[in-house]
Amino acid sequence: MRKPMDFLLREAKEMAPPTFFFLIVLNLLVLTVALLSDNHVVSTVSFASACLGALLIGKAFLLAEHLPMLEKHAKKPLLVATLWYSTFYLAIGTCLHLAERLISAATGGQGFLFT
């Protein structure tokens, strides 16, 4: 029983920094869009969606860190390493987002609405 808990705690510690960063950024984005709209209504659904998005991005970072393809560019110049990491994070985030939409559509969601 101790090994699974150690694994989950280690995964949560690795996922926490990007998740908290994107949690703050996405919620500020939701608040800004709500304040700039005509009716100034802040929806709790939008904040919940931003929180779930932050969790999804945090998981994408966690998955990308465990890929062996990222390690081969760690010692390269900073620009090359940054572009390489950014490309992988974008690809994994896009795949997870598409998987989320496919699961939503398969379970009776509103279909393929890419918003």
Side-chain angles (χ1 to χ4, degrees):
M1 184 66 182
R2 185 77 181 142
K3 263 189 166 178
M5 286 303 292
D6 289 340
F7 173 75
L8 289 174
L9 285 174
R10 189 182 76 238
E11 295 290 311
K13 284 180 184 177
E14 289 178 7
M15 197 172 91
T19 302
F20 288 140
F21 173 76
F22 284 105
L23 182 72
I24 292 168
V25 169
L26 293 177
N27 278 310
L28 284 175
L29 184 64
V30 167
L31 183 63
T32 303
V33 168
L35 291 176
L36 290 175
S37 68
D38 289 337
N39 55 5
H40 303 292
V41 175
V42 179
S43 171
T44 56
V45 174
S46 298
F47 283 113
S49 178
C51 292
L52 289 175
L55 286 172
L56 184 69
I57 293 170
K59 188 61 177 174
F61 272 77
L62 185 64
L63 286 173
E65 287 295 320
H66 291 294
L67 291 175
M69 291 176 270
L70 288 178
E71 294 174 9
K72 70 179 183 177
H73 291 290
K75 305 259 187 216
K76 301 264 178 155
L78 185 60
L79 181 63
V80 174
T82 302
L83 289 174
W84 186 254
Y85 275 71
S86 298
T87 302
F88 263 87
Y89 292 146
L90 178 67
I92 290 177
T94 302
C95 290
L96 287 175
H97 183 72
L98 288 174
E100 176 191 16
R101 294 295 180 166
L102 286 173
I103 291 170
S104 175
T107 58
Q110 295 184 358
F112 295 100
L113 299 174
F114 291 96
T115 57

